[in-house]
C-alpha cells in the first residue's frame, strides 16, 4: 500500500491561522462526550524509507474506528486490515500507548505511538462521528483545541501557524497544519470520510523536530483514510 497520499502538485493554498483560542467555537465540545472510538492493528509489513530518512523503517498501522462498545474484540475477531478505515506509518522501535475504553469514548483518542527514547515525540489519531464535510481550516483547528489542552497552549504561544489544503489521488480533501510553538512542533492532518472527522497528530519537542524532521514529515504524509471499495 502506498504511504504517500498527496499529489506532487503545488500546495493549493497556505495561510497563517489566527491564534485566538478564546474564540473557539463550542460545537465540537458537545460532540466529544459522544465520540466513538476504535480498535486497530499494527502490521509487520515493513515500509522502505524515503530519500533523506537514512535507515529508518516503518510499519503500517490499520485503524478500524469501531465503537467503544466493541473495544477489546467484542463482536468477533474479524480481519482488521480488511475493515480498516485509516492507516498511517509507525517508525520501527516506537511503542504503542494503549488507549483506555473510557478515553476512547470521551475524548475521541483512537490510537497513539511514541518514541521510547523521548515519550513526548509521538503520533496519535482522534476521530469524531457526525461530520459530513470539513469546515473552514481556521474553524477546524480551533475546534480541535477544545478537546486538547496542550494544543490550546501550543496555539496560544505559537511563533507561527500555517495551514494548507491538499487533495489525494481520489480528490479527497485534507487540511494540513504546522504549528511552530515554544519548544515544540506539531503537524496535524484532518479529513472527513464516512461521516467522521479524523485528525492525525505528529508532535515533537524542538530538538527532536530538528533531528527527526524527515521522519516526522513522513509520518504526517503517510496518514490517509481507506475507502470501502
Amino acid at each position: 500500500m502506498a504511504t504517500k497520499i498527496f499529489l506532487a502538485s503545488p500546495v493549493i493554498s497556505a495561510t497563517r491561522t489566527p491564534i485566538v483560542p478564546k474564540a473557539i467555537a463550542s460545537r465540537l465540545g458537545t460532540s466529544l462526550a459522544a465520540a466513538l472510538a476504535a480498535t486497530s492493528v499494527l502490521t509487520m509489513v515493513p515500509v522502505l524509507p524515503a530519500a533523506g530518512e537514512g535507515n529508518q523503517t516503518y510499519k503500517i498501522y490499520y485503524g478500524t474506528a469501531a465503537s467503544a462498545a466493541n473495544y477489546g474484540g467484542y463482536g468477533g475477531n474479524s480481519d482488521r486490515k480488511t475493515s480498516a478505515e485509516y492507516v498511517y506509518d509507525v517508525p520501527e522501535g516506537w511503542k504503542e500507548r494503549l488507549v483506555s475504553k473510557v478515553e476512547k469514548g470521551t475524548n475521541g483518542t483512537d490510537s497513539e505511538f511514541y518514541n521510547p527514547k523521548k515519550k513526548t515525540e509521538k503520533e496519535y489519531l482522534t476521530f469524531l462521528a457526525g461530520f459530513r464535510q470539513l469546515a473552514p481550516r481556521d474553524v477546524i483547528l480551533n475546534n480541535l483545541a477544545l478537546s486538547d489542552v496542550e494544543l490550546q497552549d501550543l496555539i496560544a504561544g505559537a511563533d507561527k501557524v500555517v495551514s494548507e489544503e491538499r487533495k489525494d489521488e481520489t480528490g479527497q480533501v485534507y487540511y494540513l497544519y504546522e504549528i511552530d510553538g515554544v519548544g515544540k512542533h506539531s503537524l496535524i492532518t484532518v479529513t472527513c470520510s464516512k461521516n467522521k472527522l479524523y485528525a492525525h497528530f505528529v508532535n515533537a519537542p524542538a530538538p527532536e523536530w530538528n533531528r527527526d524532521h524527515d521522519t516526522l514529515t513522513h509520518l504526517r504524509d503517510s496518514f490517509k483514510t481507506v475507502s470501502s471499495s
Side-chain angles (χ1 to χ4, degrees):
M1 177 180 295
T3 60
K4 298 291 184 181
I5 65 173
F6 300 122
L7 298 176
S9 58
V11 172
I12 295 175
S13 57
T15 60
R16 183 182 297 273
T17 303
I19 304 172
V20 286
K22 291 184 179 180
I24 293 172
S26 61
R27 177 178 180 272
L28 198 62
T30 57
S31 301
L32 294 174
L36 300 178
T39 54
S40 34
V41 61
L42 183 67
T43 73
M44 301 304 292
V45 178
V47 178
L48 296 177
E53 295 182 55
N55 296 322
Q56 179 65 65
T57 57
Y58 306 87
K59 297 177 182 179
I60 303 173
Y61 187 76
Y62 290 88
T64 58
S67 68
N70 289 331
Y71 178 55
Y74 299 108
N77 190 17
S78 61
D79 184 346
R80 292 175 181 174
K81 181 176 179 180
T82 301
S83 58
E85 292 192 6
Y86 67 87
V87 297
Y88 60 78
D89 289 352
V90 177
E92 187 75 41
W94 280 31
K95 303 296 183 181
E96 182 176 10
R97 183 183 75 83
L98 296 180
V99 179
S100 70
K101 185 173 182 178
V102 172
E103 187 177 1
K104 282 175 174 284
T106 54
N107 65 14
T109 301
D110 188 56
S111 55
E112 182 175 319
F113 287 84
Y114 64 91
N115 183 350
K117 296 179 181 179
K118 188 70 173 181
K119 292 185 177 180
T120 50
E121 184 177 20
K122 60 185 179 179
E123 68 174 322
Y124 62 95
L125 184 134
T126 65
F127 84 91
L128 296 169
F131 290 82
R132 293 185 178 181
Q133 61 184 15
L134 291 169
R137 292 200 301 274
D138 58 340
V139 173
I140 288 290
L141 182 62
N142 287 335
N143 282 344
L144 287 174
L146 280 174
S147 61
D148 192 328
V149 175
E150 291 186 7
L151 180 57
Q152 290 183 32
D153 293 341
L154 184 64
I155 294 172
D159 294 327
K160 182 174 64 175
V161 180
V162 176
S163 65
E164 303 176 14
E165 178 181 312
R166 296 185 183 178
K167 294 181 180 181
D168 67 8
E169 65 278 2
T170 69
Q172 183 169 329
V173 175
Y174 290 78
Y175 289 169
L176 279 69
Y177 305 90
E178 183 169 351
I179 305 174
D180 186 5
V182 179
K184 182 179 178 181
H185 213 91
S186 184
L187 302 175
I188 307 171
T189 306
V190 182
T191 192
C192 277
S193 179
K194 301 179 181 178
N195 290 325
K196 296 175 184 176
L197 184 144
Y198 300 86
H200 178 255
F201 297 79
V202 178
N203 295 340
E208 282 67 33
W209 167 255
N210 294 330
R211 182 193 67 199
D212 301 331
H213 174 273
D214 291 338
T215 294
L216 298 173
T217 302
H218 173 104
L219 300 184
R220 188 271 310 276
D221 292 345
S222 72
F223 164 66
K224 70 174 182 178
T225 57
V226 179
S227 64
S228 300
S229 57

